[in-house]
Amino acid sequence: MSMPRLLANRQGSSYFDLMIKTLVVITLMLTVMSFLSIFTTYLNLNYVCRRVVRVVELEGEVSDRAYDVFYRLKQQTGLSPEMTVDEVDYCQDQKIQLRDTFTITLADSYSFTIFTPSFAPPVVIQIPMKVSITGMSEHYWKLPK
């Protein structure tokens, strides 16, 4: 069989098309699944923030119990956010009076690996994440006059 006739033969070309299409579909599915981990991390960050806000609302102060909940949830979720308490008027020490509002902000970043070559370090994008939730104290503090 001569070379030009061999190249003109189209037998089996549909198999190559099917293999390439399958490879493209699998690549797209893996990309979508890797993006889902970003959303899962954001939901975990939001969950940790809501739980800490609820503890501060019930306690009426930024107490050791709030930090214990924060560190325990941080360990359980595998996140490493920084916590700040903003927009708060303390009436005494770290105490927040009944119906006074406060905002807890958690900031973290997610490392999204784009490509891992065998001859160099992986190509990573840091995606910053920030969750802020406002709460209201449910504790009345009787203050000395």
Side-chain angles (χ1 to χ4, degrees), residues 65-79:
R65 184 163 180 252
Y67 283 105
D68 288 343
V69 168
F70 172 67
Y71 290 123
R72 184 170 39 89
L73 289 174
K74 195 169 138 174
Q75 184 180 20
Q76 287 176 357
T77 58
L79 301 174

Side-chain angles (χ1 to χ4, degrees), residues 96-121:
I96 305 168
Q97 192 55 277
L98 179 69
R99 297 182 59 109
D100 282 348
T101 60
F102 59 92
T103 301
I104 293 185
T105 303
L106 296 183
D108 199 3
S109 64
Y110 179 79
S111 299
F112 184 71
T113 305
I114 295 176
F115 181 63
T116 309
S118 60
F119 56 86

